[in-house]
Amino acid sequence: MTHVIRSRVRAPHASPVMSPVASPVASPVMSPAVSPGVAGAAHRRPRSPVDAESVAVLHRAAEALMDDIAGLTHRLVAALRDKEPAYREAIEADAAEIWHEANRSLRLSVGSLIRPRESREAVCRLSWRIGECRAEQGLPLDALLHAFRLGGAMVWQGLVDETTRRRPEDIRLLVHVAADVWSFVDEHCGLVADAYRATERRLARRRQNHQRLTVSALLDGTARIADIPDAATTLGLPEEGRYVVVAATGAGVGGTAEVVGVPPGTRALRHVAEDAEYVVVLLADESAYEDASGAGRELAALAAGLTAPAGVRVGIGSAVTGLAALGEARGLAGTALRACPRDGGVVLLEQHLPAALVVSSSRLGAALAERVLGPLDPLAPADRDLLVGTVRTWLEADGSAQRAGTRLYCHRNTVLNRLRRFEQLTGRSLARPADVVEISLALAAGRLLDI
């Protein structure tokens, strides 16, 4: 007879049930849910004598099942241990606690079939709490719903067995409430799933906020040394790894969208401040390099692989060792950012150290620019820019008047004439190394400090 009854029951998409977990509060169960329950529905609107008789049969079977809740609990816990690997570890860790919670959950669920109005709120709270606890413990949602389906099936089978054993002729009446029983189970699966997902979202927001605050403290240099191991665990990064910080500013930076793109396969953490975006990049360990220049090549490859919209300025600092040094790394990235052209681009600090020296002390840089280039101020702006541009291009061409002329679309002699005029006005000699250093730094200051 049992197989006949089961064939008449609609298969639930996710029937609830007892989902034991090593939690001190709630454990799994077939807990009546959003609706007042099966019997409640029948009591509110008895549609025929058959309805009333079916509810009476359900009550008798549930009351008999209440006398064997302990046995039902043993069978459920054993089934979960055998059929659901996600629960096995929790059961082995604290079988007594899980059994106790499973027993309470089953007792409330079966009791709700008898007294739905009195039990509804308690069972709903328990189902919701089960979903919360399982999400907090990291139990997969599929495993939780499987446990509810398993518990629901065991309760239903218990009702069928009790009716068959005591009054076999009543089986035909019990079939009339089967659909309501499984609807009840489905509703509780939905309730548990809602609680689980709500908790997942809450935990995700908490983790994201904790990570954001952790990265912010590391970049600000305000993190305590004693907190560094916890920070490494929170971020999933090695405490003594090698890191570099990338800083970016410009149009679009500071919003929710990522502005700086890193090369594929790069392990990086992103932090968005009010007016800048920072990316903490984990570098390879020094032992992975074949020679001393390996570290420089890795940074150069990172700079070449970065992507950013036009007009965004990106600065890459120098490598540091350890999460505790990220504050220093951020400062180096900020220096590289200040050395970046105003119209955008990527600057790797180690490739622009002279410019970094200038922007590190803007007052000294401005003073140097005024001392070297000040004598050109009386000239007309166009004439002054022509001389400064020629000297800058000559320096970029490694002192070759021929190559400078090609870039400036003029004869090499024209370049030489402009250089001589520059020397006369400034009192500097482009043949004297010390003067060339001063001129180069002054030109960098004028460009970066907008002098």
Side-chain angles (χ1 to χ4, degrees):
M1 192 67 171
T2 299
H3 70 281
V4 176
I5 291 176
R6 283 189 165 180
S7 68
R8 298 277 304 273
V9 177
R10 168 174 67 84
H13 73 274
S15 342
V17 163
M18 184 150 188
S19 41
V21 161
S23 132
V25 182
S27 101
V29 163
M30 190 194 121
S31 20
V34 185
S35 66
V38 179
H43 280 305
R44 285 197 310 275
R45 42 182 178 77
R47 292 163 294 189
S48 70
V50 173
D51 289 336
E53 291 178 40
S54 297
V55 172
V57 170
L58 176 65
H59 282 184
R60 285 195 297 270
E63 287 169 353
L65 199 58
M66 285 290 285
D67 295 333
D68 188 36
I69 289 296
L72 185 60
T73 303
H74 281 303
R75 293 192 293 275
L76 179 56
V77 173
L80 287 170
R81 181 190 294 111
D82 295 340
K83 298 180 180 180
E84 185 46 69
Y87 279 104
R88 192 171 300 135
E89 183 178 347
I91 292 173
E92 292 174 354
D94 195 345
E97 178 65 21
I98 291 177
W99 188 95
H100 173 76
E101 295 297 341
N103 181 267
R104 174 172 175 264
S105 191
L106 282 173
R107 188 175 299 279
L108 278 175
S109 295
V110 176
S112 70
L113 299 178
I114 305 169
R115 294 176 298 278
R117 294 180 184 277
E118 294 84 347
S119 304
R120 177 176 179 267
E121 288 189 11
V123 180
C124 287
R125 284 196 300 269
L126 179 59
S127 293
W128 187 270
R129 183 56 181 156
I130 288 171
E132 289 182 325
C133 288
R134 302 309 178 266
E136 289 172 354
Q137 293 165 358
L139 183 79
L141 179 57
D142 287 347
L144 175 58
L145 294 178
H146 179 209
F148 264 71
R149 287 193 297 270
L150 185 59
M154 292 182 71
V155 169
W156 172 250
Q157 188 61 54
L159 296 172
V160 172
D161 291 345
E162 286 295 335
T163 302
T164 302
R165 183 171 62 86
R166 294 169 182 266
R167 300 181 64 174
E169 66 276 11
D170 287 346
I171 282 294
R172 63 182 180 81
L173 295 171
L174 190 61
V175 170
H176 287 283
V177 296
D180 288 333
V181 169
W182 283 112
S183 293
F184 166 82
V185 168
D186 281 345
E187 289 175 356
H188 268 275
C189 276
L191 183 66
V192 169
D194 287 345
Y196 187 100
R197 294 187 180 103
T199 302
E200 272 191 325
R201 291 191 294 270
R202 174 172 54 82
L203 293 176
R205 288 194 297 270
R206 181 187 299 173
R207 283 193 298 270
Q208 291 170 358
N209 188 54
H210 183 49
Q211 288 183 347
R212 182 181 61 81
L213 293 176
T214 299
V215 175
S216 178
L218 290 171
L219 291 174
D220 291 343
T222 57
R224 299 181 304 175
I225 295 299
D227 294 335
I228 298 300
D230 289 340
T233 301
T234 297
L235 302 176
L237 293 173
E239 183 179 347
E240 293 301 325
R242 293 180 63 253
Y243 299 95
V244 67
V245 172
V246 178
T249 188
V253 174
T256 56
E258 297 180 358
V259 173
V260 177
V262 298
T266 303
R267 289 190 62 184
L269 281 178
R270 198 172 303 272
H271 179 74
V272 179
E274 184 175 349
D275 57 350
E277 179 178 308
Y278 297 95
V279 182
V280 178
V281 177
L282 176 64
L283 302 173
D285 189 83
E286 287 184 335
S287 60
Y289 302 132
E290 295 180 356
D291 51 51
S293 62
R297 289 196 300 271
E298 183 180 17
L299 289 176
L302 173 64
L306 289 179
T307 59
V312 172
R313 301 165 62 228
V314 181
I316 306 173
S318 300
V320 298
T321 300
L323 290 174
L326 285 186
E328 176 189 353
R330 176 186 177 175
L332 294 171
T335 299
L337 186 62
R338 292 195 298 276
C340 189
R342 294 184 179 277
D343 57 354
V346 178
V347 166
L348 177 58
L349 182 62
E350 293 186 356
Q351 295 178 352
H352 296 79
L353 291 177
L357 287 173
V358 171
V359 298
S360 293
S361 178
S362 57
R363 292 182 62 183
L364 291 178
L368 178 62
E370 175 62 27
R371 178 183 173 187
V372 175
L373 303 178
L376 302 179
D377 289 345
L379 299 177
D383 197 14
R384 182 182 187 279
D385 292 343
L386 180 65
L387 291 182
V388 170
T390 299
V391 174
R392 180 178 289 116
T393 303
W394 178 78
L395 290 172
E396 292 172 353
D398 297 326
S400 169
Q402 184 69 46
R403 289 198 295 272
T406 301
R407 296 182 186 182
L408 295 171
Y409 303 102
C410 63
H411 195 275
R412 66 181 297 276
N413 290 339
T414 302
V415 172
L416 293 174
N417 289 334
R418 293 174 185 173
L419 296 179
R420 280 194 292 271
R421 188 178 178 210
F422 176 87
E423 289 176 320
Q424 292 169 355
L425 291 173
T426 61
R428 267 35 179 208
S429 172
L430 293 172
R432 191 162 47 240
D435 285 356
V436 171
V437 170
E438 282 195 351
I439 293 170
S440 177
L441 291 176
L443 292 174
R447 175 174 57 88
L448 297 172
L449 302 178
D450 199 21
I451 298 174

